[in-house]
């Protein structure tokens, strides 16, 4: 393997001092956005808020070293945090030393999987979740975030357990709502909401948190039942890996795989959305390495798994960031606050962080996608609802597994629906097209031109064979030449090859010559040779165009060929 493309600091290549001004502004803006968000996300996962700072620092520094995208921001992320928080809480008490150890070892496992996926160029894994399934997954995660943050918003005791039970418990305690907490939380939510409507670069979360914290101090809201963070410990976190056991690692393997897939899906989407300004294609595999290295560093820091963040990445891009120097500047600010400024956060109300997370929850609900899928693809809209329900009602890791399974089954089902279709020649041209208006066409007497508009795999091999045999049998007495227009057949597997061989044999038994035209895929051509189909058909019956096949093998030419054979 050529290791040159994997040398560090690629995301900083070409940086000059002239870029510092843009990176400085973007870094300050990113830090202002990240501070409240990382605190809230850590709290969502059952960690001390300061742990989120160190996850952000680890993700930012590691990605700057090993990633490729100049804008991508990695750190604590509300998409994956509920995934592992619920699962870890089953294995250990939330916030306990064993819980922290499990989170650290899980971060290492996720980081290794994502990093190795990048090194071995497994970026295609990111396509395992379709858009409807991803939308349903995010909607389910949003429900989890809302349910988990409602107690903090309302000033109620925290609830644990299954989502539906928690909803019932919250509903039964609504009469105990603390109006001060509710006012602070809704005020922060409104501040963030309005700030984003004005400009995404306005740090609405930070502004709201500062105002809420000031209100706690000015109006002595601690004595009015408002819960606050309290002073956070200064210094770096202690790695908890030594507290993890081998059986912990074995238990976490399925969860690590699920989270790694979600991380790869979100990283790929972020990388594609914020491609290099030079117009180069995004290097998704290299970005996998950067984000994976971030989780490894975070685990060694004693924090938890990290992920690429589309909103924070957008902030860096829109603020004029030129490189990962912006992320390093933000990381330095956040590190200083986490290591030395814990006392500054003592009066931050829990409701303020709940307001931030509620804004995040409504932000990841893709309402436009919901509406478009419902209007344009009702069957796929059912995938959104099923995935969302599975994430909400079942354990989250089971819901994610169901979502991935549904996405794959939907893809397989779609492939099985492909059937061979008979083409017609567009009048006055050499173009062969599916029948129908406005391009009315005609058939050549004695010739059947059929197309299959999908790769030939085991999932559709039988449908291909039955469909083409039916087309031949429908005109058994008149068809003398069958041409398979293969421009869309980009792959042929073993099962499909046997089906194709049986189809060729059936055509010959029906008295028709079988030819292949426009097989443009090099992989499909290699499969024809590998499975012996090229020899079975005969190289002289494989053509670059349908017209060439008809001119060489059409009914008018077949008697001449038979004479030549004699």
């Amino acid at each position: 393997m050529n290791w040159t493309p994997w040398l560090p600091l690629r995301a900083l290549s070409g940086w000059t001092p002239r870029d510092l001004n843009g990176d400085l502004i973007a870094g300050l803006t990113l830090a202002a956005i990240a501070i409240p968000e990382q605190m809230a996300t850590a709290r969502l996962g059952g960690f001390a808020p300061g742990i989120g700072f160190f996850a952000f620092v680890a993700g930012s520094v590691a990605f700057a070293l090993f990633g490729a995208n100049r804008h991508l921001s990695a750190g604590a992320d509300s998409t994956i945090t509920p995934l592992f928080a619920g699962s870890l809480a089953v294995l250990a008490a939330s916030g306990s030393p064993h819980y922290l150890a499990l989170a650290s070892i899980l971060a290492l496992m996720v980081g290794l999987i994502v990093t190795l996926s990048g090194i071995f160029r497994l970026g295609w894994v990111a396509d395992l979740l379709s858009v409807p399934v991803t939308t349903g997954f995010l909607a389910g995660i949003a429900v989890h975030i809302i349910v988990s943050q409602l107690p903090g918003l309302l000033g109620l005791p925290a609830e644990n357990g299954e989502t539906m039970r928690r909803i019932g418990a919250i509903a039964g305690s609504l009469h105990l709502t603390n109006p001060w907490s509710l006012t602070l939380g809704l005020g922060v939510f409104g501040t963030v909401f309005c700030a984003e409507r004005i400009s995404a670069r306005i740090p609405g979360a930070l502004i709201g948190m500062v105002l809420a914290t000031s209100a706690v101090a000015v109006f002595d809201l601690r004595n009015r039942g408002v819960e606050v963070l309290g002073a956070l410990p200064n210094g770096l976190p202690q790695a908890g890996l030594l507290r993890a056991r081998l059986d912990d690692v074995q238990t976490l393997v399925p969860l690590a795989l699920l989270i790694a897939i979600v991380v790869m899906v979100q990283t790929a989407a972020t990388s594609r959305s914020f491609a290099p300004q030079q117009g180069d294609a995004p290097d998704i595999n290299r970005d996998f390495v950067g984000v994976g290295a971030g989780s490894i560093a975070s685990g060694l820091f004693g924090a938890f798994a990290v992920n690429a963040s589309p909103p924070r990445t957008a902030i860096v891009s829109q603020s004029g960031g030129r490189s990962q120097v912006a992320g390093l500047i933000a990381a330095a600010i956040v590190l200083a606050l986490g290591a030395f400024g814990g006392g500054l956060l003592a009066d931050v109300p829990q409701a303020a962080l709940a307001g931030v997370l509620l804004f995040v929850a409504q932000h990841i609900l893709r309402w436009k996608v919901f509406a478009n899928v419902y209007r344009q693809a009702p069957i796929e809209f059912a995938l959104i609802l099923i995935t969302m329900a599975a994430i909400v009602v079942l354990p989250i890791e089971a819901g994610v597994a169901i979502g991935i399974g549904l996405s794959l089954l939907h893809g397989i089902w779609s492939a099985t629906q492909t059937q061979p279709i008979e083409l017609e020649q567009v009048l006055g041209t050499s173009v062969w097209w599916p029948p129908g208006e406005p391009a009315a066409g005609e058939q050549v007497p004695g010739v059947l031109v059929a197309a299959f508009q999908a790769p030939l795999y085991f999932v559709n091999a039988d449908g291909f064979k039955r469909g083409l045999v039916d087309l031949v049998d429908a005109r058994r007495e008149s068809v003398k030449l069958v041409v398979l227009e293969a421009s869309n057949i980009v792959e042929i597997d073993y099962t499909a090859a046997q089906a194709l061989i049986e189809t060729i044999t059936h055509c010959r038994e029906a008295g028709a010559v079988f030819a292949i035209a426009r097989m443009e895929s090099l992989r499909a051509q290699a499969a024809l040779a590998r499975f012996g189909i090229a020899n079975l058909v005969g190289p002289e019956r494989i053509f670059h165009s349908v017209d060439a096949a008809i001119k060489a093998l059409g009914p008018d030419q077949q008697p001449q060929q038979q004479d030549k054979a004699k």
Side-chain angles (χ1 to χ4, degrees), residues 314-350:
I315 290 298
V316 176
S317 176
Q318 296 169 6
S319 300
R322 307 292 297 171
S323 70
Q324 283 295 325
V325 169
L328 293 176
I329 291 172
I333 296 171
V334 173
L335 177 62
L337 181 62
F340 309 109
L344 299 176
L345 305 173
D347 286 334
V348 173
Q350 302 277 12

Side-chain angles (χ1 to χ4, degrees), residues 446 472 479-482 504 506-514 558:
V472 173
V479 172
K480 302 302 179 183
L481 172 64
V482 176
I504 295 170
H506 181 86
C507 290
R508 289 179 174 176
E509 291 174 350
V513 175
F514 189 91
Q558 289 184 23

Side-chain angles (χ1 to χ4, degrees), residues 206-380:
L206 184 63
I207 294 171
M209 193 172 71
V210 170
L211 292 175
T213 304
S214 301
V216 169
V218 171
F219 298 106
D220 192 24
L221 297 184
R222 282 193 181 194
N223 292 325
R224 297 177 184 268
V226 174
E227 294 289 334
V228 296
L229 292 181
L232 302 181
N234 290 329
L236 300 178
Q238 298 297 316
L241 297 178
L242 296 179
R243 302 187 185 95
R245 303 185 299 267
L246 180 60
D247 58 340
D248 290 332
V249 176
Q250 296 172 339
T251 302
L252 292 174
V253 168
L255 180 61
L257 289 171
L258 287 174
I259 294 176
I261 290 174
V262 175
V263 169
M264 286 188 278
V265 169
Q266 186 156 311
T267 299
T270 306
S271 184
R272 289 166 179 159
S273 299
F274 299 93
Q277 293 180 347
Q278 294 83 354
D280 298 333
D283 190 343
I284 293 173
N285 289 302
R286 179 62 183 254
D287 289 341
F288 280 1
V289 174
V291 175
S295 278
I296 294 173
S298 184
L300 294 176
F301 252 117
F304 47 88
V306 303
N307 195 7
S309 169
R312 291 201 309 271
T313 302
I315 290 298
V316 176
S317 176
Q318 296 169 6
S319 300
R322 307 292 297 171
S323 70
Q324 283 295 325
V325 169
L328 293 176
I329 291 172
I333 296 171
V334 173
L335 177 62
L337 181 62
F340 309 109
L344 299 176
L345 305 173
D347 286 334
V348 173
Q350 302 277 12
L353 299 182
V356 173
L357 284 173
L358 289 175
F359 174 80
V360 171
Q362 67 84 30
H363 203 274
I364 65 177
L365 283 167
R366 300 178 176 179
W367 298 112
K368 290 184 179 179
V369 178
F370 265 83
N372 290 338
V373 175
Y374 177 77
R375 184 173 61 254
Q376 300 169 4
I379 293 178
E380 294 187 65

Side-chain angles (χ1 to χ4, degrees), residues 69-88:
N69 193 290
R70 294 180 178 274
H71 297 141
L72 189 145
S73 176
D77 178 66
S78 56
T79 302
I80 62 170
T81 302
L83 290 180
F84 61 76
S87 300
L88 296 183

Side-chain angles (χ1 to χ4, degrees), residues 354-412:
V356 173
L357 284 173
L358 289 175
F359 174 80
V360 171
Q362 67 84 30
H363 203 274
I364 65 177
L365 283 167
R366 300 178 176 179
W367 298 112
K368 290 184 179 179
V369 178
F370 265 83
N372 290 338
V373 175
Y374 177 77
R375 184 173 61 254
Q376 300 169 4
I379 293 178
E380 294 187 65
F381 184 75
L383 293 179
I384 295 179
L385 298 181
I386 293 172
T387 305
M388 177 180 174
I391 294 289
V392 172
V393 176
L394 300 175
I396 295 184
E397 65 273 18
V400 174
I402 289 174
I404 294 174
L406 284 173
S407 187
L408 295 176
L409 286 174
H410 179 253
I412 293 172

Side-chain angles (χ1 to χ4, degrees), residues 446-482:
V447 177
L448 169 65
V449 179
F452 191 71
Q453 299 176 314
L456 262 176
Y457 288 124
F458 68 95
V459 296
N460 56 26
D462 188 63
F464 166 80
K465 181 179 71 174
R466 287 187 288 105
L468 193 49
V469 165
D470 288 345
L471 289 175
V472 173
D473 289 348
R475 295 167 52 189
R476 192 178 185 96
E477 301 300 326
S478 61
V479 172
K480 302 302 179 183
L481 172 64
V482 176

